[in-house]
Amino acid sequence: MANVIVRLATAEDAPAIADIYHDYVAHTVISFERIPPTEQEMERRIISCCAVYPFLVCTVDDRVVGYAYATRQMERAAYDWNAEVSVYLDKTVQGKGIGRALYEALEKLLRAMGVVNLYARMAEPNPRSKQLHVAMGYTEIGRLHKTGFKQGKWWDVIYFEKHLALHDTDHMPIRSVRELGPALVEEILRYAVQQVRL
């Protein structure tokens, strides 16, 4: 039986994460980047993200096969309780529950941090990602028509949202993922693994 682990990413995961992301950039319109980030750039992104938000990896027998992370959604202070989420998988493990496991862990960590609203965006067509988001309770809220030019064509981008908490008026400032207790983080990550079907 495969040994599946969901954990917080470290700088040492940058080469494997860059390798997974490379195909999305070089061969698809799922990412609108044109040049795949180097390992050094990916390490910088991981470190920057982890200062506040979760950046998770899933490993199978010690090999990184997928990752998910959250970033700040918009810059103004009124958006402090929002986050944008993304997930990427190695093509060999798609359809096995790893994306869902990563997203469930990510959402639980963000809820514990005090995040209220989640947003995701994707170029269309991306049926696997769209199916995952709908299955996880995200609602399509809008579309930018022919907004990205890549591979000789213009592509639409669709936006999704999900609410993690009530929209009351007494929310405390969000905490960083580093401020969450290690026992809570470990419990959330351990539970996520149960979604994987290998």
Side-chain angles (χ1 to χ4, degrees), residues 18-29:
D19 188 54
I20 291 170
Y21 190 52
H22 178 277
D23 283 347
Y24 287 94
V25 175
H27 305 299
T28 78
V29 296

Side-chain angles (χ1 to χ4, degrees), residues 3 12 61 81 96-97 99 190 195:
N3 180 31
E12 288 71 31
D61 295 333
W81 293 270
K96 299 184 184 299
R190 190 170 53 248
Q195 306 298 318

Side-chain angles (χ1 to χ4, degrees), residues 4 11 16 20 30 55 59 61 70-72 74 81 84 88 114 118 142 155 167-168 171 181 184 194 196:
V4 181
I20 291 170
I30 290 172
F55 196 124
T59 65
D61 295 333
T71 57
R72 186 176 180 88
M74 295 181 79
W81 293 270
E84 185 168 334
Y88 293 92
L118 297 184
W155 304 92
H167 291 89
D168 55 35
H171 284 290
L184 173 62
Q194 298 174 23
V196 178

Side-chain angles (χ1 to χ4, degrees), residues 48-67:
S48 174
C49 175
C50 290
V52 178
Y53 297 98
F55 196 124
L56 305 178
V57 295
C58 179
T59 65
V60 176
D61 295 333
D62 297 322
R63 181 174 76 94
V64 174
V65 297
Y67 65 97

